[in-house]
Every structure is written in C-alpha cells, then in structure tokens.
Amino acid sequence: MSSAQERLTDALYGLGWSTVKKLPEPVAVRLGRTIADLAWKRRGKGVQRLESNYARVVPDASPERLAELSRAGMRSYLRYWMESFRLPAWSAERVKTGFDPKDVHHLTDGIASGRGVVLALPHLANWDLAGAWVTTKLETPFTTVAERLKPETLYDRFVAYREGLGMEVLPHSGGTAFGTLARRLRDGGLVCLVAERDLSASGVEVEFFGEATRMPAGPALLAQQTGALLLPVTLWYDDSPIMQGRVHPPVEVPESGDRAEKTSVMTQALADAFATGIADHPEDWHMLQRLWLADLDPTKGPS
C-alpha cells in the first residue's frame, strides 16, 4: 500500500469514528447494509475470498447458496463496523444489554477462582462489543493483542478506540506481548485473543473443516505456563439488535505429552469449538483473507 493509500485509509476510518457514531441507529444500520450490498455486487478480492472460505464451511452449497452467504456475510461484516464506529458513544446500559452470552458461568466462575482466564475466539460477529460487555457488565478489565496496521496512525486509532472501551492493548509484533500476557494471568487477570488466524506463519497445524490450517499457539501455551483457564467463545447475530454468544466449556491441559504435543491437542480443541460456532452461523464469520494452507503461498504469511 502506498503512503497516499495509507493516508486515505486512515482518513476514512477517522471519518467513520467521528461521523457514524453521531447517526441515529436506524440510519447507521441502513448505511451499513447499503455499503455491504455495493461491495458485494462489485465482487472484489475480499468478497471472492469470503465466498471461497464459505465453500469450506458449507461444502455442499450451490453457487447460488454461496452467493447468498457472501451477501449475508458482507452485511454482517458491515454491521460489525457500524457498531464499532458507534460503540464509543453507546451508554453503559446499551452495552450491557447489547450482548446476551450463553453459559457465561464458565467465565464468571473462572474470574472468581483467581487463576486467570484466557478467552479465545474467532472473527465472528463483533468481538469488540463482547469485550466492551466484559469491561462494562462484568466490570472486569482485560488485556488483548492487536495486529500492527499501516499506517501507524491507523494502528494508534484502533488502540485508542479499544483502550476507550476498557481494554489494555499490546502490539502483536515486538516479542514482549507473551510475557506481559503471562504476568496478567498469573495475577489472576483476564486475557482475550482472536485466535483462528496465525499471523506469525509459525502456528500449530490443525484440521479445520476437513483441511489443514495453522492457528496461534499462544492461547494453549499461556494456559499451560500460567495455569489459567482456557475458554473458547463464539458469537453470532440474529434478527434483533442484540448480539448472541456462547462461552464453551474449558479446554483442559492434557495429562500426558510434552509441551508441543499438549499445545497441538489444545489448539485442535479450540479449532473444533470455533468450527461449531462458524458452522452454525457461517454468515457471521468475517474471514476475508486466506486461511487454509492450500491457499497460502508457503514463502509468505497469511494475506
């Protein structure tokens, strides 16, 4: 991306946060849907990749069904963005009532135990809203990791946005994030990680919808090294303004095996939990990038 394109991207995101949050909610909803439909009709690389990924999730889908899914997927994706642009202006009550997770006792019991909790989730629905719900409804701060974006000013916008929602945000690159996350967990804290896409190209190979991909080792390693509880989370939208979600049962550390073997088993368990949520609500999985090893250039990371 050229410097001019980077500046334009940064300006557009800045416009979204400054303008969209001031719109009445019905207007923002219609705007998001209109943008989604326009992007879908253009069938750019992102839409084509989304459709290709959905073909793995719904392997018996006809071309017409895949097109329907990708249109619904773009609408879900733009709902995420419209909500995220507006989240800083939401009242505490709106945040508290905007998410209705099932089996949340797995999380609250884990927090109460003082052993530390790692929440791991895929790019489903609105993970930022789920995080804001945790800091607002449960009054529990947490630490997360963000990919370094270009330009740097755009990354700074995302950090400021998430910190404004009550999150501690660490950069993905730089090598110090893992140690900080481990310290937070040993102190009984909460860590939340989006964890189905390996940004390092050195993750753990897992089977995902019948094909090989790599997922980050971090959640499993953190649980092993700190004794923290590891909980998969999946999210989805329904026809209401309230996002739905589920906190899955803990992924246990295997009793036998070396660290690599335990990490492999635990990461596969995360992948299986993620697959369950994605299969139930494929249109809410916002994966517009290559994910499976068969789609990746072996000399490069995910793109």
Side-chain angles (χ1 to χ4, degrees), residues 233-263:
V233 177
T234 53
L235 311 171
W236 68 93
Y237 291 128
D238 57 18
D239 294 329
S240 77
I242 300 171
M243 185 175 70
Q244 306 298 314
R246 183 175 306 281
V247 182
H248 295 254
V251 172
E252 303 292 348
V253 178
E255 294 184 1
S256 61
D258 60 22
R259 186 173 70 172
E261 291 168 338
K262 291 178 179 180
T263 301

Side-chain angles (χ1 to χ4, degrees), residues 119-124 127 144-145 192-197 216 219 274:
L119 293 179
L121 61 162
H123 289 81
L124 274 168
W127 46 96
T144 189
V145 174
C192 299
L193 300 171
V194 181
E196 95 277 32
R197 184 170 179 247
F274 295 165

Side-chain angles (χ1 to χ4, degrees), residues 12-66:
L12 289 173
Y13 279 102
L15 181 65
W17 269 301
S18 64
T19 302
V20 173
K21 69 180 180 181
K22 299 176 183 176
L23 296 175
E25 189 161 345
V27 175
V29 169
R30 288 196 299 271
L31 176 62
R33 180 162 291 200
T34 298
I35 295 172
D37 288 349
L38 288 172
W40 178 77
K41 288 176 182 177
R42 289 182 59 189
R43 292 195 58 78
K45 289 183 179 180
V47 173
Q48 292 180 50
R49 177 53 55 190
L50 184 67
E51 210 163 280
S52 174
N53 289 339
Y54 286 160
R56 259 69 173 239
V57 177
V58 191
D60 58 347
S62 65
E64 293 77 16
R65 172 60 178 150
L66 286 175

